[in-house]
Amino acid sequence: KKPFIIHVEDIRVEVLGTEFLITAYPREPAVQIALFKGAVRLYYGADSLLLGPNEQVRIEHNRVINMHPAHREELMAWSGRDPRIFFDQDDLSTVLREIARCYDVSVVNPGNIKGKLVTGKIQLNNSLKQTLRNIERAESHSISLQIKGKSIIVSEKPAAR
């Protein structure tokens, strides 16, 4: 019997169970692994970790950034009849990269705006314009998200006087 092993970035995932989700994209700093049933053993750098059912881990630069319960409904919502993605205190740049993948656009952030955290859900059957307006509202209109061709242009709005 051969083990089922997945290699992603510098992480080796040995699958010891049957239901799991790995989220890894090029140029994305973190890899997320969620386990719903069974077990998986992760090898990253010189360390290893055994995930049990309903656990999720985020690994960045061969370090565990956080480990928390895996919520199957939220993690798999993108694939359902009413596709959506959830964010919980995620950095705006992470949220925009995810939206860019879903809508097949790029993100241009000339001011390198960082540090804004987003919590909520995004309905993927909404238009890109509506999705961006919802994020602007969630950010109390402190940012501007404009569509130019196949790009989302990010800028900070000046404070109201």
Side-chain angles (χ1 to χ4, degrees), residues 21 73-80 82-85 98 102 124:
L21 174 69
E73 182 179 316
E74 289 181 11
L75 291 168
M76 299 304 292
W78 58 269
S79 65
D82 183 24
R84 58 202 182 284
I85 49 179
E98 181 72 23
C102 293
L124 294 176

Side-chain angles (χ1 to χ4, degrees), residues 123-146:
Q123 298 292 138
L124 294 176
N125 50 7
N126 285 345
S127 70
L128 176 58
K129 183 177 182 178
Q130 180 61 49
T131 296
L132 297 179
R133 295 299 78 78
N134 291 342
I135 293 173
E136 285 178 340
R137 277 196 294 279
E139 287 297 316
S140 302
H141 298 282
S142 64
I143 57 168
S144 172
L145 303 171
Q146 299 297 315

Side-chain angles (χ1 to χ4, degrees), residues 17-35:
T18 57
E19 295 180 27
F20 61 95
L21 174 69
I22 297 176
T23 306
Y25 295 100
R27 296 178 300 281
E28 213 36 67
V31 172
Q32 294 187 85
I33 298 116
L35 180 70

Side-chain angles (χ1 to χ4, degrees), residues 8-11 13 22-25 28-33 57-61:
V8 57
E9 302 291 327
D10 294 333
I11 302 165
V13 181
I22 297 176
T23 306
Y25 295 100
E28 213 36 67
V31 172
Q32 294 187 85
I33 298 116
V57 66
R58 180 181 173 107
I59 299 174
E60 191 171 322
H61 305 297

Side-chain angles (χ1 to χ4, degrees), residues 1-75:
K1 184 176 179 180
K2 287 188 170 198
F4 178 32
I5 298 174
I6 300 166
H7 296 271
V8 57
E9 302 291 327
D10 294 333
I11 302 165
R12 187 178 74 168
V13 181
E14 184 177 355
V15 179
L16 308 168
T18 57
E19 295 180 27
F20 61 95
L21 174 69
I22 297 176
T23 306
Y25 295 100
R27 296 178 300 281
E28 213 36 67
V31 172
Q32 294 187 85
I33 298 116
L35 180 70
F36 306 118
K37 187 176 176 183
V40 295
R41 181 172 301 282
L42 315 175
Y43 300 91
Y44 53 98
D47 296 314
S48 71
L49 173 68
L50 181 67
L51 279 187
N54 300 311
E55 290 184 324
Q56 178 176 346
V57 66
R58 180 181 173 107
I59 299 174
E60 191 171 322
H61 305 297
N62 283 330
R63 287 188 14 245
V64 171
I65 301 301
N66 61 28
M67 189 167 168
H68 51 88
H71 300 287
R72 180 189 203 112
E73 182 179 316
E74 289 181 11
L75 291 168

Side-chain angles (χ1 to χ4, degrees), residues 98-123:
E98 181 72 23
I99 289 169
R101 282 191 290 274
C102 293
Y103 289 91
D104 193 26
V105 295
S106 62
V107 176
V108 178
N109 186 356
N112 201 23
I113 296 170
K114 293 181 181 176
K116 296 188 179 291
L117 301 178
V118 177
T119 296
K121 71 177 176 183
I122 294 174
Q123 298 292 138

